[in-house]
Amino acid sequence: MNTRLVLTVMIVAVLATVPAAAQSGTGTVSGTVVGPEGNPVPGASLMVVGTRLETTTDRLGRYRIAFVPAGDQQLFVRFIGFADQTVDVSVDAGATTTLDVAMAIGTFTGTVTVEGDPILAGQAQALNEQKTAPAIVNVISSEQLQFFPDTNAAEATQRVPGIFIQRDQGEGRYVQIRGTAAELNRTQIDGEVVPSPEGSIRQVALDVIPSDLLETMRVSKALTPDQDADAIGGIVNLEFKDAPSQRTLIANLGGYYGDLRSGSGVQAGVSYGDRLADDTIGMLLSASYTDIERNTENFEADGWEPEGPEEFETRDYNITRERLGFVAAFDWRATPSSVYRIKGIYNEFSDQEYRRRVTYKVADNEVERELKDRYESQQIWNAYFDGENLFSNGGQLSYRLSYAHAEEDEPNSYDTTFIQEDVEYDSFFDGKWFRPNPTNEDINEFALDDITNENNYTEENTTIARIDYSQPFATGKWQVGAKFRGSEKNRDVEVIAYEGDDIFLADYIDPGYHEGTIVQNQYVSGSHFNPNDIGSVLALPGVEGEKDLEEDLADYDATEDIYAAYGMTEIYLSDSVMLLPGLRYEYTDAKYDAYEFDEDAETLSPISGSNTYGNFLPNVHLRWAIDEQSNLRSAVTRTLARPNFEDVVPSSFIIQEDLEIERGNADLKPTLAWNADLLYERFFTTVGVVSGGLFYKDLEDYIFNANFTEIRDGDEWRVTQPVNGDSAQLWGFELAYQNQFRRAPSPWDGFGIYFNYTWTDSEATIPGRDGKYQLPGQPESVGNIALSYEKGFFSGILTYNVQDEWIEEVGDDSSEDIWVDQHNQLDFQAIFRLGERWSIYTQFYNLTDEPYRRYIGNTNQPLQEEYYSWWAILGAKFRL
């Protein structure tokens, strides 16, 4: 297929739909909706009484309704938390009438204003947008994001029904939606796919992104045809700050404290925005910085036998993490019907890790002491230009050109290992802790085993061009669009192993290391290598290095071009029922270059692969407004998930001696899914919502790692390779309730509650195993409960997050399945407002000292148990 021709046809087809003439006998109404203090009200719903014409305000409170019948009309305006407004307007045929609407405070709400109750106002905005959305979506406003004690974007998502997060060193990292593994979900920035800085996966570690740069977070659980289809679980869209409606200045500074060995750090942020040239030009500059030192302690075990593991490790981590983010946004309203934007977003995350590990090799009568000295940085940045043009007939043309870059750099990582042999053990397992008890361990007997030096670099560059056109008509609107997304990704891994004789740990002890007890005071870490001595050891006579060719198997170059086109329409079958049918087509053209390594011959040979496929993806959504406060929604959608790059590149590792092959699979198909959703939601004028829904997913060609045999030159070889499974099904329900008790007598009217619970079950056919099994990445239960209080100068929230155990990795049978244990975490935040400008805030995390725990087969065989204790932040914020 000539892909350039396909793209050209798509764009021409979209442009050809742009009509030039207005419908006779109708006009357009436009204007701004503001609150009691004159602030814009984004997300307000407006409807022309007696018609099916409706819209919502944008982030600047602006709206536009076309095809309004000429003559005297009434405009009905609603925003949760404010009193409903009905405003008279006279419409002239073929003309645009300007009508600004001022909302009033509801009689029960007290002071629902940004100045008075900022958290409540932000929640009202989010609920209004959720209520009027055409599809199933959860919205979190910037005020809510700052209200919850969450430091990065991943942690902010866990407050949404059906979401749980994978953690690293106690912080949230990967997002999983409705029981689907992280690779089945998609992360976007301002509506576009984010390239992943990691070489083995497509998903993005959201601990890279600070939450205080976000304007809104939207989680789409049932996709519409105008959205990228590669998101079976859903899309997490991180909308970064834009130019505000009026001058703003926000600055904060805080200090960090970690209870485990007194970690310390600082966090800071500043944001300035304004509107210039009679409000036609908007600008925003925002920055966020975090620098903290953390400590974590764990044990890991492998090779479980009835008497205990064959290998047992204790690990002590000292980590310094920096998180840096910038946003620069500009918009220009050239005319009342044209707006253009330029925006740049930069996020950087660096991690300096010192890991001191003691490995008790009980089966081999050895003890190893290892120091890992690793610095890793990740960068994600993107820049885009987009524009919107409105036509006299109510049509809207939008377009965007964007470029995004992601990279992960790990320069000069060193693992230095010393070993003592002929160690005698008197080990036992007491049911909770394994006691290795090496009876003759001696620090003077540890000799250098090896030093491994790694240099790893991965980058991905993505170019996106899209064009969309929408056209309202008397009973709804239709929309078409085309999009190109091209990605180039490469990974380069270089490993050099050094060895030397007669080099002993006792001569290079780190005097600054505490050498005390770790892991709940159950083990002694002891003496370890000084990282400052690595250069001295490598310079010793007889120390020689050799490149490890096997590690070059991780190298690859990949290109992936995706061409998409869609059409959809919103049809109002009645004043209360909206139907949204549509169709999306995506065509994928991918090429891969990798290597094949023969261990016996020690040769590395290039190998290539490619894959092309096209998918038709129909979607249909139904929204029934049962009454003014209630919706019943349903959806049937078709989505997909493309394989991870590491799985699809055709690398091959041939182990001649053992007749084994490990290889990728360039012929992997994408996982496809039919999704069905049913949701009821009722919104409260006290700024709240109760909702309940059912969901079902039927997955085809689910990807698993398979073990099988094949005949080569008359020999039977054992092959490990990712393959497409037969099918998998996932189903469940979710419940949510949140409300502010504004009708209660004082002081109880300051209380609010947030609650959500999701139950999920699944069945999957796993290659090589009989029967049906639970999908990886699927906990049965996930839930949140939070109690908030906001009144006067004080805002506070206590949150409790729970999630069940889930399968992380599928083994050859159930006894080899690796599980992540249940996780329950208690967090707290309090904000004290000192007048209109200043506030003091404090945040406490993991107050129950919840560990991270993994096990194999059953809970009595732990693979890892990691502890963090609690940590806290105390700071001050200024707002102009």
Side-chain angles (χ1 to χ4, degrees), residues 124-152:
Q125 173 189 334
L127 291 180
N128 274 280
E129 294 186 42
Q130 184 172 319
K131 177 176 181 288
T132 57
I136 298 173
V137 63
N138 293 105
V139 183
I140 305 177
S141 69
S142 60
E143 289 81 9
Q144 288 176 287
L145 289 168
Q146 300 309 307
F147 188 37
F148 283 96
D150 302 317
T151 57
N152 66 50

Side-chain angles (χ1 to χ4, degrees), residues 646-797:
E646 185 177 66
D647 292 336
V648 80
V649 294
S651 60
S652 181
F653 181 25
I654 302 172
I655 309 172
Q656 296 275 1
E657 181 180 3
D658 299 329
L659 296 179
E660 293 181 357
I661 302 174
E662 299 173 4
R663 65 185 176 207
N665 186 356
D667 296 325
L668 277 177
K669 303 174 185 177
T671 300
L672 290 165
W674 282 107
N675 314 281
D677 292 87
L678 180 66
L679 177 73
Y680 170 80
E681 53 190 4
R682 180 168 183 81
F683 297 85
F684 307 132
T685 54
T686 47
V687 189
V689 64
V690 61
S691 64
L694 305 172
F695 55 89
Y696 173 79
K697 298 180 182 295
D698 186 1
L699 287 74
E700 307 166 18
D701 294 320
Y702 196 85
I703 297 173
F704 296 92
N705 281 320
N707 296 300
F708 56 92
T709 60
E710 69 178 32
I711 304 300
R712 291 165 57 104
D713 299 326
D715 294 321
E716 185 176 87
W717 290 67
R718 180 177 176 83
V719 180
T720 301
Q721 185 180 40
V723 300
N724 291 110
D726 294 331
S727 64
Q729 290 80 40
L730 182 147
W731 59 90
F733 67 86
E734 62 181 43
L735 303 171
Y737 174 78
Q738 66 181 70
N739 202 9
Q740 308 300 312
F741 303 127
R742 312 302 288 181
R743 289 180 173 145
S746 182
W748 306 105
D749 56 344
F751 278 104
I753 189 170
Y754 300 78
F755 167 80
N756 63 69
Y757 172 78
T758 303
W759 178 88
T760 312
D761 199 3
S762 62
E763 284 187 354
T765 303
I766 300 175
R769 288 172 58 169
D770 296 329
K772 300 285 188 178
Y773 297 89
Q774 182 176 325
L775 277 170
Q778 183 256 301
E780 185 174 88
S781 294
V782 176
N784 290 272
I785 186 167
L787 183 66
S788 68
Y789 189 84
E790 184 178 24
K791 192 173 180 64
F793 68 91
F794 176 78
S795 298
I797 188 165

Side-chain angles (χ1 to χ4, degrees), residues 133-444:
I136 298 173
V137 63
N138 293 105
V139 183
I140 305 177
S141 69
S142 60
E143 289 81 9
Q144 288 176 287
L145 289 168
Q146 300 309 307
F147 188 37
F148 283 96
D150 302 317
T151 57
N152 66 50
E155 292 172 349
T157 64
Q158 67 181 322
R159 313 303 174 184
V160 174
I163 285 188
F164 84 98
I165 55 175
Q166 298 181 31
R167 300 177 185 270
D168 177 69
Q169 303 294 341
E171 287 191 296
R173 173 159 283 191
Y174 299 113
V175 174
Q176 300 184 213
I177 304 174
R178 285 180 164 179
T180 56
E183 60 266 22
L184 300 183
N185 305 300
R186 177 58 74 180
T187 302
Q188 295 182 342
I189 288 181
D190 284 3
E192 301 297 352
V193 168
V194 184
S196 172
E198 299 182 58
S200 58
I201 55 178
R202 288 181 182 268
Q203 63 262 37
V204 176
L206 293 186
D207 54 359
V208 177
I209 299 172
S211 61
D212 57 349
L213 291 181
L214 301 179
E215 182 72 28
T216 306
M217 178 182 293
R218 301 174 192 274
V219 179
S220 299
K221 296 175 178 176
L223 305 189
T224 50
D226 58 333
Q227 294 179 291
D228 292 307
D230 48 350
I232 290 175
I235 293 176
V236 176
N237 184 26
L238 308 175
E239 298 182 2
F240 280 73
K241 292 181 177 180
D242 279 308
S245 59
Q246 59 189 4
R247 179 176 297 174
T248 61
L249 174 62
I250 303 173
N252 71 280
L253 179 65
Y256 166 89
Y257 174 79
D259 179 61
L260 188 60
R261 300 206 306 276
S262 301
S264 61
V266 64
Q267 73 170 22
V270 63
S271 181
Y272 175 76
D274 204 353
R275 300 209 69 82
L276 311 169
D278 294 328
D279 288 345
T280 60
I281 296 176
M283 57 84 64
L284 175 118
L285 299 173
S286 189
S288 174
Y289 177 72
T290 304
D291 183 2
I292 61 174
E293 180 184 6
R294 306 176 58 92
N295 299 289
T296 62
E297 301 168 350
N298 80 2
F299 72 76
E300 299 194 14
D302 191 24
W304 274 92
E305 300 290 344
E307 63 275 9
E310 295 180 350
E311 188 170 300
F312 183 83
E313 301 176 359
T314 63
R315 299 185 177 198
D316 184 14
Y317 293 85
N318 177 256
I319 298 166
T320 301
R321 285 186 166 175
E322 287 187 84
R323 187 179 289 113
L324 180 65
F326 293 103
V327 177
F330 303 89
D331 65 56
W332 176 39
R333 295 190 174 275
T335 68
S337 59
S338 300
V339 60
Y340 306 97
R341 304 181 190 89
I342 296 177
K343 194 170 185 179
I345 303 168
Y346 177 86
N347 293 282
E348 181 177 344
F349 176 85
S350 65
D351 188 285
Q352 172 61 62
E353 174 184 307
Y354 294 102
R355 184 193 69 193
R356 294 164 175 95
R357 180 173 68 179
V358 182
T359 304
Y360 301 97
K361 296 188 172 183
V362 179
D364 298 331
N365 297 106
E366 296 174 346
V367 178
E368 289 182 351
R369 290 186 172 273
E370 177 209 15
L371 172 74
K372 181 177 184 177
D373 176 0
R374 185 210 66 180
Y375 175 82
E376 178 185 274
S377 68
Q378 292 186 351
Q379 295 180 15
I380 299 175
W381 61 262
N382 66 317
Y384 65 83
F385 163 80
D386 68 11
E388 295 177 5
N389 302 115
L390 305 176
F391 301 96
S392 59
N393 61 356
Q396 176 175 307
L397 179 70
S398 62
Y399 37 88
R400 175 177 289 186
L401 181 64
S402 70
Y403 181 82
H405 171 85
E407 68 175 60
E408 181 180 73
D409 191 15
E410 186 181 299
N412 277 326
S413 169
Y414 285 99
D415 286 276
T416 305
T417 305
F418 291 82
I419 188 169
Q420 179 185 348
E421 299 177 335
D422 301 322
V423 177
E424 298 178 2
Y425 286 93
D426 185 19
S427 59
F428 65 94
F429 180 54
D430 64 12
K432 167 62 176 175
W433 306 100
F434 176 69
R435 310 295 181 180
N437 290 341
T439 59
N440 62 334
E441 181 180 4
D442 185 349
I443 196 65
N444 296 298

Side-chain angles (χ1 to χ4, degrees), residues 9 14 48 73 112 189 224 231 256 371 383 387 389 449 494 510 512 591 639 651 682 695 715 737 766 806 837 848 879:
V9 171
V14 172
V48 179
Q73 302 292 339
V112 186
I189 288 181
T224 50
Y256 166 89
L371 172 74
N389 302 115
D449 185 42
E494 181 179 75
D510 185 356
K591 298 179 176 62
T639 53
S651 60
R682 180 168 183 81
F695 55 89
D715 294 321
Y737 174 78
I766 300 175
W806 51 279
R837 303 291 181 233
T848 52
R879 179 189 294 267

